[in-house]
Amino acid sequence: GNMWFLWLFGNNVEDSMGRVPYLIFYLLCGLAAAATQMFISPSSIIPMVGASGAISGVMGAYVVLYPRVRVHMIVILVVFVTRIAVPAYLMLGYWFLLQLLGGSVATAEGGVAFWAHVGGFLAGTVLISIFKDDALVAQHRAMAGMIGGPAYQGRR
C-alpha cells in the first residue's frame, strides 16, 4: 500500500521541487512522523518500521499542491465493483480522517503507527510551502492541463 501511494503521488510532489529538495523533504517528513508517534506513545515497546510516515508527508504535500486533481478510486460494494473519480482533497481527506480515527481507537498491539501517519501528513502540508519551487509547480500544472484537462478532452 505504501509503495502504491508513493507511486501515485510522489512523482508529482518531486516535480514541484526537484530531486535533492524532495529527498530532504521526504526525510524530514519521516522524522516528523516518528517524532509524533513517539510523542503520543512514549512508553510503547513496539518498534516502528517502515516509510509510511514519510509517504504520508508526500500525500499531505500533494493535497496542498493539487487539491482538485481527480483521483480514480475503486469502490467495492459487496459484489458491485466500480471506479469513481474524486478530487484529491476528498480522497486524501478521507484517508487522513481514517488515520485520526485509527489512532484514537487503536490498541498498542495493533502494529500500525497511525499517529506517525498523522504527523507525517501534517508535516508535509507545512513543509511543502518551504520546499516547493513556484515555477516548477506552475509548469507541472500547465502540463497537466494540456494532457488531461478540459481543453484536451476532445482531441484524440
Side-chain angles (χ1 to χ4, degrees), residues 123-148:
T125 63
V126 171
L127 290 173
I128 191 61
S129 64
I130 298 167
F131 282 89
K132 72 177 179 178
D133 180 327
D134 290 328
L136 291 175
V137 173
Q139 180 183 12
H140 190 71
R141 286 181 178 159
M143 183 182 296
M146 290 186 320
I147 294 172

Side-chain angles (χ1 to χ4, degrees), residues 83-146:
R83 180 183 64 142
I84 61 172
V86 298
Y89 74 86
L90 191 62
M91 183 271 197
L92 292 172
Y94 172 72
W95 178 88
F96 184 74
L97 180 63
L98 289 178
Q99 303 316 298
L100 284 173
L101 292 173
S104 45
V105 299
T107 62
E109 295 82 33
V112 176
F114 288 105
W115 293 111
H117 298 166
V118 170
F121 189 91
L122 294 175
T125 63
V126 171
L127 290 173
I128 191 61
S129 64
I130 298 167
F131 282 89
K132 72 177 179 178
D133 180 327
D134 290 328
L136 291 175
V137 173
Q139 180 183 12
H140 190 71
R141 286 181 178 159
M143 183 182 296
M146 290 186 320

Side-chain angles (χ1 to χ4, degrees), residues 3 33 41 51 54 58 62 77 82-83 108 120 130 135 145:
M3 293 301 102
S41 299
V58 171
Y62 189 90
L77 301 170
T82 189
R83 180 183 64 142
I130 298 167

